[in-house]
Structures are given as C-alpha cells and as structure tokens.
Amino acid sequence: MQMVVDSVNPLIARVDKALDSMRPYLAADGGNVKVLDISDEGVVRLELMGSCGSCPMSAMTFKGGLEEAILRAVPEVTRVEAVNLTALP
C-alpha cells in the first residue's frame, strides 16, 4: 500500500522541505522536482520536471543532491527513486 501525495502528510512535508534546499539550483536550469508518493516501506518516488527530466546530468543531480538531501533530512526514508532519470552518456 502506498501513501499518496497529501498536503497533510507530515512525512511528505519533510521530504518536500529537504528538496527545497535543492530547488533553487534546479530552477536556475529550468527544472524542478515533485514527490509522487512514499510507500509504507519508506521508498520515495520523485519526478524530475522541466529541463531536469531530459538533462544528461540528471542522474548525478539525483544521486549527489536530491537523494542525499532526502536521506539526510528524513531518516525514515529507506530509498529514493526517480521515475524519469536520463542515463549518463
């Protein structure tokens, strides 16, 4: 069973807050990130939006920025996945 994105869900709010530290950098390149859902097992699914969805550096941004920020700020999260990562060339 999965928890759907809900503005009253405190876990999603904490994940969003962790992502807020990265959003200015994403926005500078015309992108953003959205939390799609969080499973009962603590798996966060993200969607990279705008230019981030097609950027060849999105895998590095995801691993070195987004995933790290979430795992550091929200210890209940066990894994972070992006539904639309662009593979490195």
Side-chain angles (χ1 to χ4, degrees), residues 2-78:
Q2 294 193 340
M3 297 180 282
V4 183
V5 173
D6 182 351
S7 60
V8 291
N9 184 320
L11 189 57
I12 290 175
R14 290 174 51 214
V15 169
D16 255 334
K17 183 174 177 154
L19 291 171
D20 283 346
S21 66
M22 296 299 299
R23 284 193 168 103
Y25 304 106
L26 301 175
D29 289 328
N32 202 346
V33 62
K34 175 170 113 176
V35 179
L36 296 176
D37 57 43
I38 302 175
S39 74
D40 290 340
E41 294 78 29
V43 178
V44 175
R45 287 184 350 123
L46 303 177
E47 178 182 7
L48 300 173
M49 300 168 48
S51 62
C52 290
S54 60
C55 176
M57 299 304 287
S58 63
M60 290 178 61
T61 300
F62 171 75
K63 277 297 205 195
L66 303 174
E67 180 183 53
E68 185 178 312
I70 292 170
L71 292 174
R72 185 176 47 239
V74 189
E76 300 95 297
V77 170
T78 58

